[in-house]
Amino acid sequence: MNLRLAKNSGFCFGVKRAIKMALKAAKENHQTVTLGPIIHNPQMVSKLESKNILAVDNISQIKNRATIIRSHGVKKNVLDRLKEKEIEIINATCPYVSKTQKFAEELDKEGYKIIILGDKDHPEVKSLYSYINGDALIVANATELPDMSFKKVGVISQTTRSINDFQKLVSELVKRSEEMRIINTICNATSVRQNSTIELAKISDAMIVVGGKNSSNTKMLAKISGKYVKTYHVETACEIKKKWFSKTEDIGITAGASTPDWVIVDVYNKIIEIIGKLDKKIEKVEDIPGFKEER
Amino acid sequence: MNLRLAKNSGFCFGVKRAIKMALKAAKENHQTVTLGPIIHNPQMVSKLESKNILAVDNISQIKNRATIIRSHGVKKNVLDRLKEKEIEIINATCPYVSKTQKFAEELDKEGYKIIILGDKDHPEVKSLYSYINGDALIVANATELPDMSFKKVGVISQTTRSINDFQKLVSELVKRSEEMRIINTICNATSVRQNSTIELAKISDAMIVVGGKNSSNTKMLAKISGKYVKTYHVETACEIKKKWFSKTEDIGITAGASTPDWVIVDVYNKIIEIIGKLDKKIEKVEDIPGFKEER
C-alpha cells in the first residue's frame, strides 16, 4: 500500500507569516489577542490559546493588549477604532490583501465604480468592501453582473478566486466599459494546491483532505478531490477510520492553506499505523515522502 | 428583382466630421491642404481637389496653407513640426483616436508598458505609437503576444478592431499582469456596418460592396459578404457589369466607412438602370429604400 502527500499542501505564505507574527508577539507581550480566529483552523486556534493568545470576537473585549489582525484583514472602521485605543496593533493582513485594500481605496477616490470578484460573506471581501465609500458590486462570477454599462470601472478580487473566473469577469466588463483599471492579486498558492490535489487524486484509491471544517479552501479541496476518487475531509487524526483503507492500494493526503504542519503529520502517522507500516514515527512534515514546501 | 441598401452603409461619424471640417476650411481659406489623402477613397479625394483642397504627402510641401489633419490622426512629431510653421492647423483627428493618443501618452509617462491591438502599418496605429516614448508592443491579436509577464500594462486599440479580439487580448493579459489600465475606444460603427452587411448578404443572390480599393474596412466588408454570396467590390458605378445580374433576384448594396453618399447613389442608379426599373433617378442616399443613417 502507498501513502503519498500532495505537493504544496498546508499553509500558504500569508498564513505562515501571520502565525509567525502571532508567536513572536506572544513572546514579547504577556497579553495578546487576535481579532477573530487567526485562521479557519480550530487546532491552530487552540494551540495559540495554550500560548495565551486568545481570539476575541469584538473590539470591546480588547483591554490593554497587543492585538493581531489576521491574514484576511479587517474592516477599515475596525482598524480605525483599534487605532483609537492605546494598544499595540500587529497587522498580519496578507500583503496581497493590503495591496488590494489600498488599490480599492485609491480608485474609489478617483471615481471608479469598483467590482469585487468574491464571496460577499467572506471576511476578506468584507474588509475590501469597507475601503470603498462609493457604490461597489460584489459578484461571485461574471454571470452575476447586472445588465449595464460603466464609464470608469475598477476590478479587484478575493485572493483565493480562480484566475479563470477573473479573466471571464474582466473580459465581460471590457466590452461594457469606457475605462478600466485592474489589479491582479489572485494568489496562485490556491490553484497550485488544487492542481497538486487533482494530480494525486488521479492516482489514488482514496484521498484524505485535512483542514478546518470551517475553511473555505479546505472544503473546496475536498470537493475537487471528490470528483476523482472517494474523499474524506478530516480536521484531525482522531477522525480517521480503519475501514476506509480495507480495499485501497494508493492513499493520498492533501491539506488546506490553514492546516498546520503538525496536524498533517498526525494524520500521516495515524494512517501509517492503520495500514501497518510504522517503522518510525514521522516528526516533521518535511520528512513525509513527497513533501514540497510552497513559497 | 429587388435592390436593397444595407442599413448603416457609408461614412462613419469620424469621417463625416473630417469632411465637414475640410469643406468648411475650403470655404474660409483659399489655400487648404490635407496631409495625406483625407480618407481612403479616391473619389472623395478628387472631389476635394476640385474645391482646391489638395492632398500633400510631406510637410515640406506645405507653404502658408491651412492644413487639415485627417481622421486617422498623424504622428506626434508631425503635429509638432506643423505647429512650428506659421499655418492654421485644422485637426480633424477622430475624437476616439485623440482620446486614445492622450491615454497612451499619460500611461507611458506613468511607466506602463503599452500594448496596442491593431495593424502596425495603419496610419492610426502609427499615430498612436508615436505618442509613446517607452517600449510599446503592437499585436494583431492575442496570439502575437510574446511569452512574458508584465508589471504595469496599458492596453489600447485601433478604433476599428473587433471587440471580440480586444476581449481575448485583455483576458490573456490579465493573468500575466499585476496591474492593468484599459481604454476601450473601439468604435461600434464597424461592427454595426459589418452586421448589417451580413444580414443583407444572407437574403441576397449578389452583393455589391462600394468603396476605395485602398480602404481596409471596405475590403473587410467584401471579404465578409463573400462568405455568404457572390460579391463584387467596386469603387464607382462605371465598374458595374450587366452580366452580374442575369440570374439574380435579390441584389444587395453596402459601402465602407469612407465611401461618400453620392458614390453609393450612383451605384444604386446604375443597377436600377441595368435591371430596368428606373422610374426616377435617386438623388440622395436618404431616398434609397432601406437607408438608415448611423450616429
Side-chain angles (χ1 to χ4, degrees):
Chain A
M1 228 184 288
N2 300 308
L3 179 58
R4 297 182 189 93
L5 176 67
K7 286 174 191 168
N8 316 296
S9 303
F11 281 179
C12 67
F13 152 77
V15 167
K16 211 175 272 181
R17 178 174 168 273
I19 302 284
K20 213 171 160 182
M21 288 171 84
L23 294 173
K24 186 169 173 275
K27 265 192 190 167
E28 291 165 6
N29 297 277
H30 289 296
Q31 292 182 312
T32 307
V33 296
T34 68
L35 195 52
I38 192 153
I39 50 172
H40 287 153
N41 185 276
Q43 290 68 44
M44 192 71 220
V45 172
S46 301
K47 186 174 178 174
L48 291 182
E49 277 171 8
S50 73
K51 291 182 187 290
N52 207 23
I53 306 175
L54 304 177
V56 299
D57 293 327
N58 202 292
I59 296 181
S60 62
Q61 295 170 269
I62 303 170
K63 284 174 185 75
N64 303 323
R65 282 167 177 265
T67 299
I68 298 157
I69 291 169
R70 57 190 182 167
S71 56
H72 296 139
V74 289
K75 288 187 188 175
K76 191 174 187 296
N77 68 337
V78 172
L79 187 61
D80 290 342
R81 282 172 60 201
L82 281 176
K83 284 178 184 167
E84 285 165 16
K85 287 179 173 260
E86 283 184 1
I87 52 166
E88 188 190 351
I89 301 169
I90 297 140
N91 195 341
T93 307
C94 167
Y96 294 145
V97 178
S98 309
K99 191 176 172 185
T100 319
Q101 288 168 344
K102 213 178 137 198
F103 188 78
E105 195 171 27
E106 188 187 311
L107 261 58
D108 179 50
K109 275 184 194 149
E110 288 177 25
Y112 285 79
K113 166 102 174 179
I114 312 280
I115 295 177
I116 308 173
L117 176 69
D119 169 2
K120 66 180 179 358
D121 297 320
H122 194 282
E124 182 186 323
V125 174
K126 286 181 179 172
S127 154
L128 293 177
Y129 189 75
S130 73
Y131 279 80
I132 303 159
N133 285 317
D135 216 19
L137 274 176
I138 302 168
V139 294
N141 54 56
T143 61
E144 286 190 3
L145 280 175
D147 187 18
M148 61 188 289
S149 292
F150 304 94
K151 204 168 157 60
K152 289 167 77 180
V153 68
V155 195
I156 57 177
S157 174
Q158 191 178 342
T159 51
T160 48
R161 304 309 278 202
S162 87
I163 186 70
N164 196 15
D165 282 352
F166 195 54
Q167 285 180 288
K168 280 184 190 158
L169 177 66
V170 166
S171 179
E172 182 55 35
L173 282 170
V174 75
K175 69 173 175 186
R176 303 207 212 161
S177 317
E178 285 180 29
E179 203 196 313
M180 271 176 99
R181 288 193 67 173
I182 304 164
I183 192 167
N184 176 0
T185 51
I186 289 177
C187 176
N188 74 350
T190 307
S191 63
V192 163
R193 193 180 302 105
Q194 289 176 353
N195 290 338
S196 299
T197 297
I198 292 171
E199 222 172 83
L200 186 56
K202 279 181 177 170
I203 57 160
S204 302
D205 307 312
M207 283 286 286
I208 311 298
V209 178
V210 192
K213 297 278 165 73
N214 58 344
S215 152
S216 308
N217 84 83
T218 309
K219 285 190 279 184
M220 184 55 82
L221 284 187
K223 193 177 163 189
I224 290 171
S225 170
K227 287 182 188 166
Y228 295 88
V229 71
K230 183 76 191 165
T231 297
Y232 305 93
H233 177 178
V234 299
E235 258 185 21
T236 66
C238 315
E239 295 165 57
I240 305 279
K241 295 206 169 36
K242 196 174 175 176
K243 62 178 181 186
W244 295 348
F245 312 111
S246 61
K247 289 175 188 163
T248 53
E249 190 54 45
D250 292 282
I251 305 160
I253 301 175
T254 187
S258 49
T259 310
D261 285 354
W262 85 84
V263 178
I264 303 172
V265 169
D266 280 357
V267 166
Y268 184 86
N269 285 329
K270 174 76 182 208
I271 300 174
I272 287 289
E273 197 184 301
I274 289 174
I275 63 177
K277 280 198 169 185
L278 194 60
D279 296 332
K280 67 173 175 67
K281 218 173 160 185
I282 294 274
E283 298 288 346
K284 298 196 303 280
V285 73
E286 289 83 351
D287 297 334
I288 298 180
F291 174 84
K292 191 186 144 198
E293 192 173 20
E294 64 192 356
R295 75 200 164 99
Chain B
M1 229 183 290
N2 300 309
L3 180 58
R4 298 182 189 92
L5 175 67
K7 287 173 190 169
N8 315 296
S9 303
F11 281 179
C12 68
F13 152 77
V15 166
K16 211 176 272 182
R17 179 174 169 273
I19 301 285
K20 214 171 159 182
M21 287 171 85
L23 293 173
K24 186 168 173 275
K27 263 191 192 169
E28 291 165 6
N29 296 278
H30 289 296
Q31 291 183 313
T32 306
V33 294
T34 69
L35 195 52
I38 191 151
I39 49 173
H40 288 154
N41 185 277
Q43 289 68 43
M44 191 72 220
V45 173
S46 301
K47 185 174 178 173
L48 292 181
E49 277 170 8
S50 75
K51 291 183 187 289
N52 207 22
I53 306 175
L54 303 178
V56 298
D57 293 326
N58 202 293
I59 296 182
S60 62
Q61 295 170 269
I62 302 169
K63 284 174 185 75
N64 302 323
R65 281 168 178 264
T67 299
I68 298 158
I69 292 169
R70 56 192 181 165
S71 57
H72 296 139
V74 288
K75 287 187 188 174
K76 191 173 187 296
N77 68 337
V78 173
L79 187 61
D80 290 342
R81 281 171 61 200
L82 281 175
K83 284 178 183 166
E84 284 165 17
K85 286 179 173 256
E86 283 184 2
I87 53 165
E88 188 191 353
I89 301 169
I90 298 141
N91 195 341
T93 306
C94 168
Y96 294 144
V97 177
S98 308
K99 191 177 171 184
T100 319
Q101 286 168 344
K102 213 177 137 198
F103 187 78
E105 195 171 27
E106 187 187 311
L107 261 56
D108 180 50
K109 274 184 193 148
E110 290 178 24
Y112 286 79
K113 166 102 172 179
I114 313 279
I115 295 177
I116 309 172
L117 176 70
D119 169 2
K120 65 179 180 359
D121 297 320
H122 195 281
E124 183 186 321
V125 173
K126 286 182 179 171
S127 154
L128 293 178
Y129 190 76
S130 73
Y131 279 79
I132 304 160
N133 284 318
D135 215 18
L137 275 176
I138 303 168
V139 295
N141 54 57
T143 61
E144 287 190 2
L145 279 175
D147 187 18
M148 62 187 288
S149 293
F150 304 93
K151 206 169 157 60
K152 290 166 75 179
V153 67
V155 195
I156 57 176
S157 174
Q158 190 179 344
T159 51
T160 49
R161 303 309 277 203
S162 88
I163 186 71
N164 196 15
D165 282 351
F166 196 54
Q167 286 179 288
K168 280 184 190 158
L169 177 67
V170 167
S171 178
E172 182 54 36
L173 282 170
V174 75
K175 69 173 176 186
R176 303 207 212 162
S177 317
E178 286 180 29
E179 204 196 313
M180 270 175 99
R181 288 193 66 174
I182 305 163
I183 192 168
N184 176 359
T185 50
I186 290 177
C187 177
N188 74 351
T190 307
S191 63
V192 163
R193 191 179 303 103
Q194 288 176 353
N195 290 338
S196 299
T197 297
I198 292 171
E199 221 172 84
L200 185 57
K202 279 182 178 170
I203 56 160
S204 302
D205 308 313
M207 283 286 287
I208 311 299
V209 178
V210 192
K213 297 277 165 75
N214 58 344
S215 153
S216 308
N217 84 84
T218 309
K219 284 190 280 184
M220 184 54 82
L221 283 186
K223 194 178 163 188
I224 290 171
S225 170
K227 287 182 188 167
Y228 295 88
V229 70
K230 184 76 192 164
T231 297
Y232 305 93
H233 178 181
V234 299
E235 258 185 20
T236 64
C238 315
E239 296 165 57
I240 306 280
K241 295 207 168 36
K242 197 175 175 175
K243 62 178 180 185
W244 296 347
F245 312 110
S246 61
K247 288 173 189 168
T248 54
E249 189 54 45
D250 292 282
I251 305 160
I253 302 174
T254 188
S258 49
T259 310
D261 286 353
W262 86 84
V263 178
I264 303 172
V265 169
D266 279 357
V267 167
Y268 184 86
N269 285 330
K270 175 76 183 208
I271 300 174
I272 287 288
E273 195 185 302
I274 289 174
I275 63 178
K277 281 199 169 185
L278 193 60
D279 295 333
K280 67 176 177 63
K281 218 173 160 184
I282 293 274
E283 299 288 347
K284 299 195 300 280
V285 72
E286 290 82 351
D287 297 334
I288 299 180
F291 174 84
K292 189 184 143 197
E293 191 173 21
E294 64 190 358
R295 71 198 167 105

